[in-house]
Amino acid sequence: MLRSKIFIAASVTAGVTGGIYYLESTNGRRFEKQMKKYFRVAHAESAILAELNKRPSKSLPTRAELLQSTKEEEYDVLVIGGGATGAGVALDSQTRGLKTALVELNDFSSGTSSRSTKLVHGGVRYLQAAIMKLDLEQYRMVKEALFERANLLEIAPHLSYPLPIMLPVYKTWQVPYFWFGIKMYDLVAGKRLLKSSYYINKEKTLERFPMLKQDSLKGAIVYYDGQHNDARMNLAIILTAIRQGAKCLNHVKVERVLKDESGKVSGARVKDVLTGAEWNIKAKSVVNATGPFTDSIRLMADPDAVPICSPSSGVHIVLPGYYSPQNTGLLDPATSDGRVIFFLPWQKMTVAGTTDAPSELTFSPTPKNDDIEFILGEIRNYLSKDVTVRRGDVMSAWAGLRPLIRDINKKDTKSLARNHVIEISPSNLITIAGGKWTTYRHMAEETVDAAIKECKLKPKNGCVTPGLLLDGAHDWNHLLHIHLVQDYGLDTDVAQHLASTYGDRAFVVARMCKMTGKRWPIVGHRLHEEFPYVEAEVRYAIKEYAFTAVDVIARRLRIAFLNTYAAHEILEKIIPIMAKELNWSNAEIRKQLEEARKFIDVEMGQEARAVAVSNMSLNLTKEEMKVAKERFYQLDRDRKGHITVNDIRRHFREHGEKIDERLLHDLLNEVDLNKNGELELAEFFQLYSGLKNGQIVQNRLVRYLEAHEQTTQQPSLLRSGGGV
């Protein structure tokens, strides 16, 4: 009986489960050997790497050109999955001289790889486990990740950077304990250390992080990890692979795996989701890098395969930037249920998370309100009582599915390390599963090694991805944004955004910006006044294979991850630009708008907000209910018991204000909790109750009503801010 071959990157219990061997690692010194291999590559492949690191000057091929190539040629490697790992495999394979193609069902980085904690890290938690349990494999995994952390910051300096993270200490005995653990983290990093960790006293801790709870605070340990723009990093890997000759296609679905006469995989039958066209892609080897959907492809190739992937859901929330310092993160090492929570500045906002719980497999993971409330509760435990952490301050929330590898000896997902597994199935399907963002490159290298060995491929050279610059890194420097301001007349924050997003390709985007007609900025029409995104980025995103409105708001601009209200508003400018560039029909425009709004509401936390508001109890006094009722009937003049868009329109006309129709519908939609197109009195009471207790911290309709009040004696329940 044929059995799968599985190589596990860290030691697990030996045994046989459902016909699949879980092998005790035979490479006990895997990482030490790997390091020696890197040094050999540095010498033997230095000339090749130097050539590859020259900045490509040609424009990217069009999607049509890439697609046509996959119909006409046979490939050495076909990669299924366009997340970080799949992109890494495509880049590694192509730069070894292997003809490579990649297909992704949705957009590049549309799954787990765009929903991370945004850290490039070695894993402080795993090192603690390695020390406490004398686990040598955990130690080696951390050492490997620290090497990859340094490499990623080197090859994509425009997208990644060191971030100081603070570990507050509230008990005296914890000072030496935490200090020793973090110093071990530095020691393991060795020459790849970003910056040395250090201890600071209470005064300096509060000076650096004034929002912290002061009671019993002894001081803090500060250490450094990396941070990055995960979706953009993923795309940079894809673009680099394409510029090197790989044929990478998004929005292409694998219908089935093709096999030759001997039963070995020989390619895939695929379908263009955008057009419905189908064709075969022939390949000598097929790599399954589909993350949480690993088992679905495995079952296509081998119907008797035993599932090995155990999805875990991790929820993150985004709060306004004032919740954290702009240059310092926070680590809560021991939450109420034993999980680790990070509290980090990112894109001028604050990201907090993550939860870790078993999850069902889905293409549209949805953040649950209970997870959001859990994170908020942990944040409240660490921040000063003077800082009111409100549910309504959550600007966005998302859930990501981690592809954890199943171990029958462990029951909970949070106890699993992010080890990776490479499986060679009986039909020669090569599956790479598990792992984490930071180690994507190393995972890709081992996967390509396995493909070469098992499928007898003939590369022209060895692995050259350590030190291989990613798209945008070649001519980038920290002062690049100044040149954009001086040479093109861009706003400074826009120039900084372009430089830190596109690297040396920012000049291409700048040249695409249109004149504003103002004295300053000279060029660069903003898509939204609160964000540095400009219209030219939408047109440039299409050149980088963005074909849906969600591709743009989620992976190219990241606005859906930062502020759901702004994401809804920005669609009015993004969709007309895309419609013109892509020749969309009116039906397609409506479809794109509907799908984008659904994505924001379902996957970015708007529905979770509605659940939070609908579940809250009314806590209004009689006087407050009277005020709310009077304002409700300012709109419901006919006493029909509900408010429609016509009522709101009439109210503004009577006060001499002309309001855009889109704004009228937005005002109603924000308060229409049951989404039936009407605002009922009970919903209005819930709205005011939410404003009072912080579940809702901003509402434009109520603000307009207050502004129109004839008397100033009625109390205001409004709070500043806004969120989901």
Side-chain angles (χ1 to χ4, degrees):
M1 176 180 176
L2 292 174
R3 299 191 186 277
S4 303
K5 302 176 184 178
I6 294 185
F7 307 94
I8 302 182
S11 177
V12 297
T13 303
V16 180
T17 306
I20 296 182
Y21 283 104
Y22 285 88
L23 303 177
E24 186 74 27
S25 174
T26 58
N27 296 328
R29 296 182 176 83
R30 177 189 295 270
F31 186 72
E32 285 77 359
K33 291 181 179 180
Q34 190 66 43
M35 292 296 290
K36 292 178 181 178
K37 181 180 178 181
Y38 289 147
F39 287 117
R40 289 198 303 272
V41 168
H43 292 287
E45 313 290 355
S46 58
I48 297 173
L49 183 61
E51 184 66 24
L52 292 174
N53 269 339
K54 292 180 180 179
R55 184 179 186 274
S57 57
K58 292 183 179 180
S59 300
L60 289 166
T62 65
R63 183 176 187 271
E65 292 170 340
L66 294 172
L67 191 150
Q68 187 61 34
S69 296
T70 63
K71 294 180 178 180
E72 299 172 348
E73 304 176 22
E74 181 181 12
Y75 292 87
D76 294 309
V77 179
L78 170 62
V79 184
I80 305 174
T85 305
V89 172
L91 179 59
D92 188 296
S93 173
Q94 184 66 36
T95 52
R96 294 198 203 197
L98 297 171
K99 189 178 292 185
T100 306
L102 178 148
V103 292
E104 160 61 40
L105 171 62
N106 200 325
D107 185 25
F108 304 122
S109 194
S110 58
T112 305
S113 297
S114 63
R115 302 166 190 247
S116 72
T117 311
K118 320 305 178 191
L119 286 178
V120 184
H121 65 105
V124 173
R125 177 162 65 104
Y126 306 141
L127 181 61
Q128 180 189 26
I131 295 173
M132 298 299 293
K133 299 178 182 178
L134 299 178
D135 189 331
L136 188 58
E137 290 298 339
Q138 287 268 42
Y139 164 79
R140 289 187 176 122
M141 188 184 72
V142 173
K143 190 171 182 66
E144 170 197 315
L146 289 172
F147 174 88
E148 297 299 336
R149 178 189 70 177
N151 182 68
L152 193 56
L153 268 65
E154 178 184 342
I155 64 176
H158 57 304
L159 295 172
S160 56
Y161 44 86
L163 176 72
I165 300 177
M166 182 180 292
L167 179 59
V169 181
Y170 287 91
K171 296 179 181 179
T172 304
W173 68 266
Q174 291 178 330
V175 174
Y177 177 77
F178 287 149
W179 182 88
F180 173 77
I182 295 299
K183 279 300 176 183
M184 284 296 296
Y185 196 56
D186 289 355
L187 184 63
V188 174
K191 293 181 180 180
R192 295 285 181 163
L193 177 68
L194 300 181
K195 292 184 180 181
S196 294
S197 60
Y198 53 89
Y199 169 78
I200 53 178
N201 61 25
K202 178 178 180 178
E203 289 72 22
K204 291 185 178 179
T205 299
L206 293 174
E207 180 180 331
R208 187 159 189 165
F209 209 120
M211 296 78 86
L212 268 181
K213 181 175 64 177
Q214 300 184 28
D215 299 343
S216 303
L217 180 66
K218 307 301 179 185
I221 311 294
V222 179
Y223 73 98
Y224 287 80
D225 255 330
Q227 190 175 50
H228 69 154
N229 184 342
D230 53 1
R232 186 69 204 178
M233 185 72 79
N234 194 153
L235 184 60
I237 301 168
I238 286 285
L239 296 177
T240 306
I242 292 175
R243 292 188 190 279
Q244 295 295 341
K247 313 303 180 185
C248 303
L249 292 166
N250 56 354
H251 300 291
V252 172
K253 179 183 179 182
V254 172
E255 295 286 350
R256 66 179 184 273
V257 174
L258 302 178
K259 294 183 180 180
D260 60 20
E261 295 178 354
S262 64
K264 303 298 182 182
V265 294
S266 59
R269 179 72 175 178
V270 299
K271 178 180 180 179
D272 185 349
V273 177
L274 301 179
T275 65
E278 292 189 22
W279 70 100
N280 292 339
I281 300 180
K282 298 178 182 179
K284 297 174 183 176
S285 65
V286 177
V287 174
N288 172 19
T290 52
F293 301 95
T294 290
D295 290 325
S296 62
I297 302 298
R298 291 176 65 247
L299 288 169
M300 280 187 188
D302 299 278
D304 295 329
V306 177
I308 62 172
C309 189
S310 180
S312 166
S313 175
V315 173
H316 294 81
I317 66 173
V318 173
L319 298 164
Y322 56 73
Y323 268 91
S324 66
Q326 292 186 4
N327 61 349
T328 302
L330 182 72
L331 167 65
D332 180 354
T335 62
S336 57
D337 69 348
R339 293 181 283 197
V340 172
I341 291 273
F342 284 97
F343 191 64
L344 309 167
W346 184 69
Q347 301 280 303
K348 297 185 178 180
M349 302 292 278
T350 301
V351 173
T354 177
T355 60
D356 195 348
S359 173
E360 294 181 356
L361 196 60
T362 173
F363 286 107
S364 301
T366 304
K368 296 180 180 178
N369 190 59
D370 289 346
D371 290 324
I372 295 173
E373 291 289 358
F374 169 79
I375 296 172
L376 290 173
E378 296 302 322
I379 291 172
R380 293 185 184 104
N381 291 336
Y382 262 80
L383 297 188
S384 170
K385 293 180 180 179
D386 294 329
V387 178
T388 304
V389 181
R390 303 172 295 188
R391 174 63 177 84
D393 282 330
V394 178
M395 311 303 293
S396 182
W398 69 85
L401 298 183
R402 298 187 187 91
L404 303 185
I405 303 308
R406 188 185 304 278
D407 182 345
I408 60 173
N409 298 306
K410 296 178 180 179
K411 297 180 180 180
D412 60 333
T413 60
K414 69 184 177 228
S415 65
L416 294 177
R418 272 54 173 171
N419 305 329
H420 66 271
V421 166
I422 297 173
E423 177 202 37
I424 312 297
S425 76
S427 63
N428 261 19
L429 175 70
I430 301 163
T431 294
I432 171 66
K436 60 180 181 178
W437 228 120
T438 307
T439 58
Y440 85 92
R441 192 215 61 80
H442 177 64
M443 293 161 60
E445 179 181 351
E446 291 192 335
T447 303
V448 177
D449 286 344
I452 291 171
K453 179 180 179 181
E454 296 296 325
C455 301
K456 297 178 175 57
L457 305 180
K458 297 179 180 180
K460 295 179 180 179
N461 51 266
C463 176
V464 291
T465 50
L468 179 66
L469 297 177
L470 297 184
D471 194 66
H474 299 79
D475 296 330
W476 180 86
N477 65 70
H478 290 281
L479 302 180
L480 188 146
H481 70 281
I482 296 177
H483 295 286
L484 291 171
V485 174
Q486 294 177 337
D487 296 347
Y488 296 94
L490 289 161
D491 269 334
T492 301
D493 62 333
V494 172
Q496 290 173 334
H497 157 67
L498 295 182
S500 63
T501 302
Y502 305 98
D504 60 22
R505 303 283 172 184
F507 292 101
V508 180
V509 183
R511 287 193 291 270
M512 294 174 66
C513 291
K514 295 181 179 180
M515 301 286 288
T516 64
K518 301 177 182 178
R519 185 187 64 81
W520 193 266
I522 297 174
V523 300
H525 290 273
R526 290 186 186 240
L527 290 164
H528 195 282
E529 61 183 8
E530 297 176 26
F531 293 89
Y533 307 130
V534 291
E535 292 180 358
E537 289 183 83
V538 181
R539 294 190 292 274
Y540 189 74
I542 294 172
K543 295 180 181 295
E544 291 187 333
Y545 315 110
F547 293 99
T548 71
V550 175
D551 291 349
V552 174
I553 64 172
R555 269 83 63 179
R556 303 312 191 278
L557 302 184
R558 310 315 308 274
I559 193 167
F561 281 77
L562 297 173
N563 188 313
T564 53
Y565 286 117
H568 273 297
E569 294 165 358
I570 207 173
L571 289 173
E572 296 293 330
K573 291 186 177 180
I574 287 176
I575 288 181
I577 296 173
M578 297 190 74
K580 181 178 180 181
E581 295 289 325
L582 297 172
N583 297 315
W584 285 347
S585 64
N586 289 334
E588 183 65 22
I589 290 174
R590 290 191 295 270
K591 175 186 174 185
Q592 290 290 330
L593 184 59
E594 180 181 346
E595 290 180 350
R597 286 174 172 169
K598 181 179 179 181
F599 173 82
I600 296 169
D601 291 343
V602 175
E603 298 188 44
M604 294 291 110
Q606 283 280 24
E607 284 191 352
R609 168 191 175 272
V611 170
V613 174
S614 62
N615 288 342
M616 67 186 177
S617 57
L618 294 180
N619 62 346
L620 301 177
T621 64
K622 290 183 178 180
E623 180 62 25
E624 289 166 345
M625 292 187 71
K626 178 182 178 183
V627 172
K629 194 170 184 178
E630 289 176 356
R631 288 177 181 154
F632 179 84
Y633 285 122
Q634 286 179 22
L635 297 175
D636 183 22
R637 299 274 293 277
D638 303 327
R639 293 298 195 273
K640 55 186 177 297
H642 62 266
I643 297 168
T644 66
V645 169
N646 291 332
D647 295 319
I648 301 175
R649 185 187 296 111
R650 179 179 60 187
H651 177 81
F652 280 108
R653 285 177 179 173
E654 290 177 351
H655 285 82
E657 292 190 33
K658 185 177 181 180
I659 300 295
D660 182 81
E661 280 296 311
R662 178 187 60 82
L663 177 57
L664 287 174
H665 287 275
D666 285 348
L667 290 175
L668 179 61
N669 186 58
E670 287 178 9
V671 294
D672 181 15
L673 300 180
N674 55 24
K675 302 303 177 185
N676 63 353
E678 299 174 348
L679 176 63
E680 300 170 358
L681 182 58
E683 292 176 283
F684 207 66
F685 284 151
Q686 282 184 307
L687 170 65
Y688 267 82
S689 184
L691 289 168
K692 179 179 180 180
N693 62 25
Q695 293 279 33
I696 303 171
V697 292
Q698 177 271 118
N699 183 262
R700 291 182 291 178
L701 179 60
V702 177
R703 285 195 182 276
Y704 279 124
L705 291 177
E706 284 202 340
H708 294 160
E709 286 291 347
Q710 298 300 315
T711 174
T712 60
Q713 296 181 357
Q714 291 179 323
S716 173
L717 301 177
L718 289 173
R719 296 166 177 257
S720 63
V724 300

